[in-house]
Amino acid sequence: MKKVFLALAAIATIAAFTSCNKTCDCTLYAGDEGTVYEDLALKDIQASFPTYIKEEVKKCSDVNSVETDETLGTGKWGVECK
């Protein structure tokens, strides 16, 4: 009987961790300065940055699209999430 309870507890623990609402801290770069957006839910990130994100977001690093324009010297452009 103890084994059954241990198995159920393990399943419940795994389910609890997979249903967590993951959040990211993202920085939107448009030149040298970056605007920080804290605690964005993964499900809301794509709606927040539709210009930069075209695919489904499964983890924070899926969003990273920062590029540097060294020819014009205008700094960083894009989104970076952690």
Side-chain angles (χ1 to χ4, degrees), residues 1-16:
M1 193 66 161
K2 289 182 183 179
K3 290 181 182 179
V4 173
F5 285 122
L6 286 175
L8 289 174
I11 291 171
T13 302
I14 292 170

Side-chain angles (χ1 to χ4, degrees), residues 40-72:
L40 289 174
L42 279 178
K43 61 182 179 147
D44 298 332
I45 290 176
Q46 192 165 9
S48 298
F49 307 110
T51 304
Y52 299 100
I53 305 165
K54 303 295 182 193
E55 299 175 13
E56 182 181 358
V57 177
K58 295 182 181 177
K59 56 186 179 188
C60 295
S61 62
D62 288 346
V63 178
N64 296 343
S65 65
V66 175
E67 296 181 13
T68 304
D69 187 351
E70 294 179 16
T71 57
L72 296 175

